[in-house]
Amino acid sequence: MELRDTPEEASFRGDLRTWLEENVPAELRGHRGGAARFDGPEMRAWSRALYDAGYAGLTWPEEYGGGGAPYTHQAIFLEEIARAEAPPHIGVIGLGMAGPTIMAYGTEEHKARYLAPILSAEEIWCQGFSEPGAGSDLAGVRTSSRLEDGHFVVDGQKVWSSFAHLSDWCILLTRSDPESTRHAGLTYLIVNMHAPGVEVRPLTQITGEAEFNEIFFTGVRVPADNLLGEVGGGWQVAMTTLLHERGTLGFALQAALEMQVRKLIALARDRGADQLQRDRIAREWIEMQAVRFTNYRSLSALMKTGLPGPEGSISKLVWSEANQRVTKLALEILGPDAALADDNAPYGGYWQYQQLRSRGNTIEAGTSEVLRSIVAERVLGLPKSR
Amino acid sequence: MDFTFTPEQDALREQAREFLAANPEPSWAQLSELGWTGVSIADELGGAGLTFVEEAVLFEELGGALYHGPYFSTIALTLPALPSDLRAEVAAGTASWTLALGPLVPDLDTADRVAVVGGDGIFELESPEREVLTTNDQSRPLGVVRGGQSGRRLADASVLAEIGVRSLTALALEACGVARRALEHAVEYASTREQFGKRIGVYQAVSHPLANAYTRLELSRSLALWAAWCVATGDPETPLAAAAAKSSAAESAVAVCETSIQVLGGIGFTWEHELHRLYKRALGIESFGASGTRLRAELAVALLNEKTEEAPVTTPAPAPVEQGG
Ligand SMILES: Cc1cc2nc3c(=O)[nH]c(=O)nc-3n(C[C@H](O)[C@H](O)[C@H](O)COP(=O)(O)OP(=O)(O)OC[C@H]3O[C@@H](n4cnc5c(N)ncnc54)[C@H](O)[C@@H]3O)c2cc1C
């Protein structure tokens, strides 16, 4: 057990800290995220700067533009990003889901074609899994794909697809065998969002902005080569994606929480907090440290045994609920000003936006109910409910 | 960064779990034979020269086993105050200690010798009158001392800071052991007990509270192990980590026990089942020393009154625990 940096980790951290101090644009510090980050060119430029400095895809193989670094570097990177209140790389779905899935199931051609543009933020990805009839129960997917003279022809509808309106590519889960039900007969495709027959309709969400979308596919022709895994083997590939969505993302979420708690403390110093609020602030700081060290445990197990520790499965669940509490506590500290929004609100409406956005945290990437069932069944070994 | 145990530490845990299952009420001499009383005592004094991380493994296992004896009061509370010759006796198993930090003193029924805080020092209290009180948690009785003569001066009162963080961390680790054991009972029951034609673990009203219990336990355990590492290495964040760990783990242990009692139904409410004893230890840990509310109030001072942007690293140690340790 050694929680301090090794000399090599310390030098990586030191260089990174200096680099962040010199390179994070002031207007992006503490950025509230969401779809607004795509409005101007700044965030893409920032992501590109991360890439050029070698900080995008730290753990990805060097041959695909990554850093070939151990996971600990990624952990240090995210800690330092939080400390500097720097925004993360813009390619959330590409980095966290599409990229790792392509590395696991893609051909050499796929890896050479798709991975580097994710890191350089030249291409943005979205995830087309959920459908009107398939949410928590993803095996209910009905969007169809038929193999026809060298192409999959795709018809159907996806929903809640984050950033689809800005995306170049989609990882799409389809049903290729119309006779099949549930987990069999699914096929996982890479779909060009600019292809004819793809129509994206933004959905305005609780925050007033449109971050997620409906996607309609009408006779969209997808080259047969854009297949990940086997025809009919899409479920297995999708599980890899979800594993990364909920797992690898753990450290990113921890960094987000660390930044949120820092801001909460700064807010309380700025505006004052009563005794009961101080107790809750201390609780949230404790919870944040607990998530952080739980991730360290899981990560250390991964480095030693190749498998992340089971405790890692609680990260997303705990983070989402912590973020909801932290943002609500911030509104309480703001007092009557909490009713104001956007530019009329203190801090440009950061907390009002964050609080509303946080309600999605317990729904996206697996609802808390689904995640609790996963902990109960896969970690505790309780009998299966489904 | 490496947050895993070494194979030797894992082996120590295995040994502890097996030994305590076979010997639920071990004597001080038995613990000494196993080398447990001298874990962090120097080699030349007959100890193993290891660290608080190894002791942490034992605190967790002893907590889960509801061990009744002076290990906590000797190793967590008094050891930092003991000079070399007395440490050698602890390692050899010829003496155990407790320290009266407040009116309620732990393990007075089993500890051989008693130390007290007086003025700027810690002293041995010779032949005091001991009264062991009735406590909710019978596995860790509390008592009061009266009279006696102030004996040898053992240490300067400055060791109280170390005693504070060691005891908070040890309590947090014990709480994790208690919670783990309680959760095991509940998971086993939910996996086998059938009602309405199904094993009750399939009902989410049963399984989700258990998932929450696991979540609380693992979060607290991460804090307790962080604090243990901090104590072992003298990290500047030790006071924060120890306060966070005790505040979180005591509360988690109580909550996990309560969930487990509910999941076991009527059986969980009986005197016969072990759960109530785990629950009472958890409640005992929560009330012992600084309360969660007080620890969080201290943390808030450290977090909110710091001038720098850095997470605070140099805060005063939490005040030494008030009530008997
Ligand atoms: C902000 C946001 C971004 C998203 N981005 C994407 C994206 O990019 N791509 C994508 O494919 N999807 C995305 N989603 C969709 C998300 O994955 C789904 O919303 C989620 O899986 C839940 O599905 P649903 O909305 O159909 O709700 P339902 O599955 O209908 O669930 C409704 C309620 O029932 C509960 N429930 C359902 N089944 C069970 C059960 N077995 N046991 C107990 N409770 C149950 C749920 O927990 C929930 O509370 C996003 C969602 C949000 C909110």
Side-chain angles (χ1 to χ4, degrees), chain A residues 93 127-130 135-137 159-162 212 357 360 363-367 369-370 386, chain B residues 204:
Chain A
I93 291 175
Q127 175 199 19
F129 280 25
S130 305
S136 298
D137 188 8
V159 72
W160 321 129
S161 254
S162 302
F212 59 27
R357 182 62 185 81
I363 302 168
E364 60 198 322
T367 69
E369 290 73 25
V370 164
R386 288 155 292 145
Chain B
Q204 290 178 343

Side-chain angles (χ1 to χ4, degrees), chain A residues 2 294 297 300 304 372, chain B residues 1-4 212 218 222:
Chain A
E2 174 54 79
T294 300
R297 283 170 60 204
S300 295
K304 259 200 186 164
R372 284 198 175 88
Chain B
M1 198 271 300
D2 173 18
F3 205 179
T4 57
N212 288 343
E218 291 305 327
S222 300

Side-chain angles (χ1 to χ4, degrees), chain A residues 1-6 9 17 72 75 83 85 251 262 264-266 268-269 273 275 278-283 285-287 289-301 303-304 309-314 317-318 321 325 368-377 379-386, chain B residues 1-7 9 53 183 186-188 190-191 199-204 206-212 214-223 225-226 228-230 233 235 237 240-241 243-245 247-248 251 292-293 295-297 299-312:
Chain A
M1 201 176 280
E2 174 54 79
L3 302 182
R4 280 170 293 220
D5 288 344
T6 62
E9 287 164 357
R17 200 173 277 193
T72 40
R83 185 181 169 278
E85 294 190 12
F251 262 98
R262 272 170 188 279
L264 177 72
I265 289 171
R269 284 191 196 145
Q275 282 306 319
R278 290 167 69 90
D279 183 76
R280 287 157 67 197
I281 292 167
R283 269 187 192 281
W285 181 86
I286 293 171
E287 187 92 344
Q289 296 293 0
V291 174
R292 177 167 159 224
F293 286 101
T294 300
N295 280 338
Y296 283 168
R297 283 170 60 204
S298 183
L299 179 77
S300 295
M303 304 266 295
K304 259 200 186 164
E311 61 283 335
S313 60
I314 65 177
L317 183 59
V318 175
E321 295 179 355
R325 285 191 310 270
S368 292
E369 290 73 25
V370 164
L371 296 181
R372 284 198 175 88
S373 291
I374 290 176
V375 169
E377 293 169 15
V379 181
L380 296 179
L382 288 170
K384 287 213 182 331
S385 60
R386 288 155 292 145
Chain B
M1 198 271 300
D2 173 18
F3 205 179
T4 57
F5 288 103
T6 62
Q9 290 161 347
V53 173
L183 183 60
V187 167
E188 194 195 326
S191 304
R199 286 181 288 167
I200 58 169
V202 308
Y203 303 116
Q204 290 178 343
V206 172
S207 68
H208 286 195
L210 290 176
N212 288 343
Y214 172 80
T215 303
R216 294 328 307 170
L217 164 58
E218 291 305 327
L219 291 173
S220 293
R221 187 157 187 259
S222 300
L223 292 168
L225 296 178
W226 170 41
W229 177 84
C230 284
T233 56
D235 191 83
E237 289 199 316
L240 298 180
S247 153
S248 166
E251 195 172 83
T293 324
L295 292 168
R296 288 191 298 275
L299 279 172
V301 168
L303 295 171
L304 293 175
N305 299 359
E306 270 277 329
K307 296 260 161 13
T308 67
E309 272 303 295
E310 268 314 286

